Amino acid sequence: MDSIFLMNNVWIMICAVLVLLMQGGFILLEAGSTRMKNAGHIAGKTIFTVGIASLVFWAVGYGFIYGEGNAFIGLSDFFYGDASSTVDGLAGSIDFFFQLAFAAIALTVAFGGFAERAKLSVYIVFAVLFSALVYPVVAHWIWGAGWLADLGKQDFAGSTVVHLTGAMAALAATILLKPRIGKYNSDGSSNNLYGHNQVYTALGVLVLWVGWFGFNAGSTLEVADAFFGYVALNTQLAAAAGAVAALLIAWAATGKADVPTTLNGALAGLVAITASCAFVAPWAAVVIGLIGGLIVFASMKFFDKAKIDDPIFALSVHGVAGIWGTISTGFFATPELAAMNGGLPGLFYGGGFTQLGVQTIGVAAGGIYAFIVSMVILVVMKNAMGGLRVTEEEEIIGLDMSEHGSYGYPESFGGDSQKPGA
Amino acid sequence: MSTQLTTYQSVREWREQQMRSVARDHHTLNQFHEQVIYQVVQMAQVRMESEWGKPPAHFAFFVMGSTARFEQSVWSDQDHGLIYEDGAEPSYFLTLGEEISRGLEQAGYARCDGKVMASNRLWCKSQHEWHEQLERWLDERSWETIRHFLTFFDSRVVCGEEDYLDQLKDGLFSYIDKHPAVLKRLIENTSHIKKAVGVFGQFLVETSGKYSGCLRLKETAFFPYVNALRLLAIYEQVTETSTLTRFTILAKKHQKVAPYERDFKNLLALRLRFQANQTDYDSVHYLDMKKLSRADKKQLKAIIKHGRKLFMNAKEIVEKGC
């Protein structure tokens, strides 16, 4: 066997595992950012939604993205399984596994907007419908020879495809679910419903940060010229700049160097560089991450003021930073890297507004599609399933008990003695 | 003062009726608080005597904190203590302390979170016990005992033997004369001033909860003035407790202090203007920035800035003397 072929496959398999491991980061991040009474639920649902996403991706997701079809959707390769195929210089199964891990991440991002109040059945049904109807369509447009790919859309590892798509579904859910009990006061002021463990949240961010090297550097899909190292460098710089910028802006604006904001800054830097990591110079990666850190702070404030209760800041971190990251390549893409990786150079390199326009169209089209279809799915589900949200009583006792019958931290809640209705 | 007051509840009603008319002026307001507190203490003493008989010894009931400094706003909490003659049993005075606390609570003064009340053995002691406790606090110089000492220092007698408190304060001054290094510790304890204005010149307001958009007036604006004047009062052995009176006395000795008296008066007036309609103790410490005009904000920023300067000046003066 050709050693480069083998190395490519081993590298992408490692990256796929790294991306799958990001779910561990999400478990820690989400559980830490929410209240103790929902911790078991939030951790457990991440695992079963990865299960659902995998099965749906195998059945239809991969086919809708990469199958033979039209500019809107792919229509072959359902129930994927072919030991002999090669795609992009990789064994088909390796490519499939890598793509699957991305689809699962998009779903987990979407579920950020459901936290602490959605019914378990809603998670299950939406996991199926999002994995079949929302994510694969946007992914096909940009990565699967769809109409945005034809326009030269640059989204190297998925600022739009994965993060913005997930965040727009989260936005639809957040709007429909309405704020958690106790989040807003009658006079319109908002309360901090503090997460129960900042150490988990920070560790979650670190796991995600490490996993992101699979996400971004793995998106080279090959080891040739070790270009993945360059992508990893940009990724690291943007995450670092995002963390530092968010810390400083929170400190300057509020007088407190808020820990969740710093953590979100690192993630915003990562999300922002995801589209542009293969297109920009390292200095630009720093600027992209830095701006990501600043806008995530502003965005968190904005959603709070707009009374959109986003418990784990999915809208700000994955949505707003995703938009910025995608558009940033329209400014910063260098001629050499654009030639290597597709599309045109950015505005700052004499590329004019063409690429910037394409990036904006991509963000708008992907975002609007994901939002509208998610909204329609959720409205239909709401009517068919008697609402999306648990009852007030269930929300107050927590989803661990109301949806699963046992606490994530039984000793902290007096064990079985506090079972409702006992 | 009304002669119809027979219950704590009736004192509260009287307080509520009068409050609106007295709350326009800082001096009038504090004189009124003084009357209300005095009335409650008298009532508590009568009740004690009807059940427990006459006090077994002479005593002094004293107030501390904003009450002692004549700096109460519309609402304030309780801070008080008792000194009784050596040899007496504490039980009578602790019960009296509890009766006063109960009475003040019913009259509209929240109980002190930190239990700085005459019903607490820590703040209800004989003359000798007090003397020993104060020396122990200063000897120990821990964060907690220094706080206790600073709280105690802003104290004045409301009823009973004024001499008892004066004697204790004299004892404190001789301790400080012998151990001037303790002043450094007092400076350290009060040196941290909470930031109220950010790097962009914006007010650093609360960002969430009931008071979002509000400034914590007590910590950010009042404390630098109160702490600076208290430090100087300790240093110059001034027993007056009101910050304004401390200004009058100390400005004569220290030119640097004089200009800031006007700022402090403005701060008191500003608080009254915006807090007169507050309905509970917690909310008087927060100032809703939305209510302030541009000119008010400019004035408040200047007050906050000057508070820092005043504290630095006071620190410098006291440090030279240690």
Side-chain angles (χ1 to χ4, degrees), chain B residues 57-73:
Chain B
H58 293 294
F59 68 94
F61 173 80
F62 61 96
V63 288
M64 292 172 277
S66 61
T67 317
R69 293 191 301 266
F70 287 104
E71 270 160 34
Q72 291 183 90
S73 182

Side-chain angles (χ1 to χ4, degrees), chain A residues 220-275:
Chain A
T220 56
L221 298 178
E222 59 180 2
V223 296
D225 303 328
F227 184 62
F228 60 82
Y230 184 81
V231 171
L233 170 70
N234 278 346
T235 303
Q236 180 71 5
L237 291 175
V244 173
L247 173 116
L248 293 178
I249 187 71
W251 205 351
T254 67
K256 300 279 180 210
D258 180 57
V259 172
T261 304
T262 309
L263 300 176
N264 287 338
L267 291 176
L270 287 162
V271 170
I273 201 65
T274 296

Side-chain angles (χ1 to χ4, degrees), chain A residues 185 187 189-192 194 249 252-256 301, chain B residues 194 198-200 202-205 207-212:
Chain A
N185 300 317
D187 64 357
S189 58
S190 75
N191 299 312
N192 274 327
Y194 289 107
I249 187 71
T254 67
K256 300 279 180 210
K301 298 270 168 223
Chain B
K194 195 175 155 58
V199 287
F200 306 124
Q202 82 284 26
F203 282 106
L204 297 172
V205 294
T207 52
S208 67
K210 197 174 156 191
Y211 299 111
S212 70

Side-chain angles (χ1 to χ4, degrees), chain A residues 130 134 137-139 141-142 147-148 153 155 159-172 318-320 322-323 326 359-375:
Chain A
F130 177 87
V134 182
V137 174
V138 179
W141 292 356
I142 296 169
W147 65 279
L148 283 169
K153 169 83 161 52
D155 188 3
S159 284
T160 303
V161 177
V162 179
H163 296 283
L164 182 60
T165 302
M168 293 314 273
L171 177 61
H318 301 279
V320 175
I323 292 170
T326 307
Q359 296 303 98
T360 310
I361 292 167
V363 164
I368 290 169
Y369 175 83
F371 179 73
I372 290 177
V373 177
S374 299
M375 188 58 109

